[in-house]
Every structure is written in C-alpha cells, then in structure tokens.
Amino acid sequence: MTINIEYEAAKMLEFDYEELIRRVILACMDYECCPYDAEINVLLTDDENIRQINHEYRAIDAATDVLSFPAVDYDIPGDFSRLEENVAAYFNPESGELILGDIVISVDRALMQAEEYGHTIEREIAFLTAHSMFHLFGYDHMEEEEAKIMEQKQKAVLDKLQIRR
C-alpha cells in the first residue's frame, strides 16, 4: 500500500494527521473490500491553493473543503471485478498497486468547518478523507439516493474507527 501525503498549508495541524489519514484510508479500503493494494496521493493545502486547483480542473473559481480525483472508471461504484481487464490503465507497472487517485484537503476549510460543526479538527480531517475515498471508489452524492449511500458508508467507517462528532 502506498499512501503519499504532502503538507503545503501554512497553518500546522497539532496532531499526527498522517497516522489518522492512513487509518481512515485503510478502513475505507477494508470496508469496500478492495482486493488490491493501492496507491493514493493526499495533499493538505490552504484555501488559495485548493481554489486554484478547483478552478483549473473543475472551472469553479472558489475554495472548497476537499477535492477528489479518481483514477478509476467504475461501471458500478465499488466494483473492482473488471479492473484487471485494463491493467495498463489502472495499475502501477512497477508496484502492481491499483492507482486509486488523488485527494486534496484544505486545512483552512477543515479548521473552519470543525469549529462550525462543533467537533474536533481530527474528526473533520477523518471525515473529509473518508468522503474523498468513497469518491475514489466511484461513489457520488449528486442524487439523493447516491448521497444516502455515501453518507452511510462514511458513517460506518468513522464509527468503526470510533471517530465521532
């Protein structure tokens, strides 16, 4: 399993964010029964940088809390059964790991939301990581029914890790 974590935010988090992010990623992998070791890149940044990324890749000129860039096109969210049909597209040729994609989290926004929602910054970073992981598994929340599925999955993972509001 390769989890690359980069920190570019000016505001420093005063807890072991790397350990937390790794625990959440692994719990999401287990919850979805992903049969592969995976490669995931995580960038913790600030509002200005995430705004630029959001503008460049989504044509939205605004900061957001988290961005997800899935590397896999799923026929059905969370269905890994057909990925080996296109090894060159989805697997790192050197490590053999499934390339799931990239997660970008705004530390500024996470700190603000933790305060706004009345929970810890640890809980907010864990939630944003889980939320993004389910996007990397092909889930979305554009439709009400899709949103319910994602919310249930996020809650189940955070509950299992005993990360609560």
Side-chain angles (χ1 to χ4, degrees), residues 85-137:
E85 293 174 9
N86 198 351
V87 171
Y90 299 130
F91 293 86
N92 181 321
E94 293 176 16
S95 67
E97 293 175 327
L98 172 64
I99 302 169
L100 275 180
D102 302 326
I103 298 170
V104 182
I105 297 172
S106 169
V107 171
D108 295 338
R109 192 61 47 113
L111 286 163
M112 182 180 69
Q113 288 177 179
E115 185 175 324
E116 180 181 327
Y117 299 140
H119 55 242
T120 65
I121 183 60
E122 292 90 340
R123 196 275 179 194
E124 188 65 18
I125 294 291
F127 170 79
L128 294 172
T129 302
H131 180 84
S132 197
M133 281 300 294
F134 287 108
H135 278 306
L136 298 189
F137 294 136

Side-chain angles (χ1 to χ4, degrees), residues 9-133:
K11 294 177 183 170
M12 293 306 299
L13 295 174
E14 297 180 7
F15 66 95
D16 190 349
Y17 61 87
E18 289 189 19
E19 188 274 333
L20 176 65
I21 289 169
R22 289 178 198 285
R23 274 193 315 128
V24 173
I25 287 172
L26 292 172
C28 290
M29 298 282 293
D30 286 345
Y31 185 84
E32 278 302 291
C33 300
C34 181
Y36 306 106
D37 281 338
E39 181 179 309
I40 299 128
N41 298 304
V42 180
L43 172 64
L44 292 112
T45 191
D46 57 28
D47 272 355
E48 179 54 28
N49 193 31
I50 206 167
R51 183 199 63 77
Q52 290 174 358
I53 295 167
N54 204 16
H55 181 66
E56 181 178 344
Y57 290 96
R58 299 179 61 224
I60 298 173
D61 193 14
T64 188
D65 53 1
V66 66
L67 291 170
S68 309
F69 297 99
V72 177
D73 296 316
Y74 297 90
D75 293 332
I76 300 167
D79 180 6
F80 305 98
S81 65
R82 303 194 75 195
L83 298 185
E84 289 184 28
E85 293 174 9
N86 198 351
V87 171
Y90 299 130
F91 293 86
N92 181 321
E94 293 176 16
S95 67
E97 293 175 327
L98 172 64
I99 302 169
L100 275 180
D102 302 326
I103 298 170
V104 182
I105 297 172
S106 169
V107 171
D108 295 338
R109 192 61 47 113
L111 286 163
M112 182 180 69
Q113 288 177 179
E115 185 175 324
E116 180 181 327
Y117 299 140
H119 55 242
T120 65
I121 183 60
E122 292 90 340
R123 196 275 179 194
E124 188 65 18
I125 294 291
F127 170 79
L128 294 172
T129 302
H131 180 84
S132 197
M133 281 300 294

